[in-house]
Amino acid sequence: MKILVPVKRVVDAYVKIRVKPDGSGLELANVKMSINPFDEIAIEEAVRLKEKGLATEVVVVSVGPAKSQEALRSAMAIGGDRGILVETAETDVIEPLAVAKILKAIADIEKPALVLMGKQAIDDDCNQTGQMLAALLGWPQGTFASKIAIDGGVIHVTREVDGGLETVKLKTPAIVTTDLRLNEPRYPTLPNIMKAKKKPLEIKTAADYGVNLAPRLKVLKTTEPPVRKAGIKVGSVAELVAKLKTDAGVL
Ligand code: AMP
C-alpha cells in the first residue's frame, strides 16, 4: 500500500504572527517556517503504518516555493521515502482548490491507496484541501482522524466530532485527514536527518499537471484581533459574584 502525504510549509506554530502594515496579509520576511503541525502528524502516522508492515512506500509532496524543500526533507527525516516538490513562485498565493487539483493529478499518476494529510494548514486555517481532493477523485474521506486502523482494503477511522467520537469505514483508495490526538510525532534523529538529504526529490511545476494557479479569491483586508483588556484579581468569592452582577451584568 502506497501512502501519499501532502505537507505544507507554514509559519512556525510558536511564532507570533504579525500583520503587514498595509493589511495585505501576514509578514513572512525573516519569519521561522516549519512543516504544518497536522502534516507532521500525518507523516508520523504513515511511517508507523510502514513500520507495522501495512504500507510499502510513503511519498511526500508539497506545493510551494523552492524553500518548501525544507518541509519535504523534514518529512523524509521522519521516514518519508521520496519527495515531490511542485515549485511555485515566492509571490504566488496558492489556494486549496489549486492544491487539490495538483494532488489529484499526482494521485492519478502515483495511484496511492491512501492520501493522509492534515485537517488544516495553520496559516490559512482553510480546512478544505482534503475534502476538495476527495470530491475531485471521487474517493471516500475520513476527516479529523484521532485513530486509524487498517484491515485489508478497509480503513477504520475514528473521528472527533461534536460531543464524542464516530468511527467510519472506508474502502481504499481513500483520503484521511489528521486531528491533533492521532499521535505525537517523533523528533527526527541526526542520522535520519542526514539520510533524508540523499532521498530522491523530484521538482515539478503546476503546469506539468495542467493546473492554473491563478487565485479565485481576493483577500480584502487582514487585521489583528482586538487587543484583550487586562484581567483583574478578586479577593473573594463574594467580590467575584458582585462583579459578575454589577460590572459584567451576567448574573
Ligand atoms: P487547508 O485546506 O489549506 O487548511 O490544508 C489542509 C491540508 O492540505 C494541509 O494540512 C496539507 O496536508 C494539505 N495542503 C494544503 N496546502 C498545501 C500545499 N501548498 N502543499 C502541500 N499540501 C498542502
Side-chain angles (χ1 to χ4, degrees), residues 5-9 36 38-39 42 61-64 94-96 99 103 116-131 177-178:
V5 183
V7 297
K8 187 176 187 186
R9 175 177 176 264
N36 181 42
F38 291 103
D39 304 350
V61 43
S62 192
V63 181
I94 321 291
E95 291 176 355
V99 177
L103 294 176
L116 195 47
M117 54 201 290
K119 73 165 181 181
Q120 78 194 61
I122 62 160
D123 52 359
D124 57 21
D125 275 341
C126 278
N127 182 346
Q128 294 172 358
T129 312
Q131 294 87 331
T177 72
T178 60

Side-chain angles (χ1 to χ4, degrees), residues 36-227:
N36 181 42
F38 291 103
D39 304 350
E40 217 174 0
I41 294 173
I43 178 79
E44 172 68 35
E45 195 67 17
V47 172
R48 287 187 192 185
L49 290 171
K50 192 175 169 204
E51 287 166 350
K52 282 186 203 155
L54 292 166
T56 46
E57 191 186 23
V58 178
V59 182
V60 291
V61 43
S62 192
V63 181
K67 284 181 188 151
S68 302
Q69 284 194 33
E70 292 162 14
L72 289 171
R73 294 285 174 209
S74 308
M76 289 192 274
I78 295 174
D81 295 299
R82 63 185 166 91
I84 303 171
L85 171 66
V86 182
E87 193 173 327
T88 62
E90 193 80 41
T91 48
D92 279 340
V93 176
I94 321 291
E95 291 176 355
L97 185 58
V99 177
K101 286 181 180 170
I102 291 171
L103 294 176
K104 180 198 181 298
I106 295 177
D108 286 342
I109 298 166
E110 295 283 343
K111 302 200 177 357
L114 174 63
V115 180
L116 195 47
M117 54 201 290
K119 73 165 181 181
Q120 78 194 61
I122 62 160
D123 52 359
D124 57 21
D125 275 341
C126 278
N127 182 346
Q128 294 172 358
T129 312
Q131 294 87 331
M132 287 176 169
L133 179 61
L136 291 175
L137 286 165
W139 291 4
Q141 59 181 307
T143 50
F144 314 144
S146 62
K147 192 174 164 211
I148 298 174
I150 300 189
D151 181 9
V154 176
I155 308 180
H156 296 261
V157 178
T158 304
R159 318 180 49 230
E160 303 208 354
V161 290
D162 277 351
L165 298 174
E166 174 191 60
T167 303
V168 292
K169 200 164 109 179
L170 313 174
K171 272 204 194 131
T172 58
I175 314 285
V176 175
T177 72
T178 60
D179 215 323
L180 266 188
R181 276 159 287 272
L182 181 60
N183 62 46
E184 267 191 41
R186 70 196 69 182
Y187 287 104
T189 59
L190 190 57
N192 284 346
I193 293 173
M194 301 313 287
K195 258 193 241 162
K197 293 188 185 193
K198 297 204 177 106
K199 291 187 179 174
L201 200 165
E202 243 179 297
I203 312 273
K204 302 288 226 177
T205 65
D208 293 337
Y209 300 108
V211 176
N212 180 353
L213 294 177
R216 292 161 169 246
L217 305 173
K218 192 171 166 200
V219 175
L220 299 180
K221 203 169 175 212
T222 310
T223 50
E224 301 261 2
V227 181

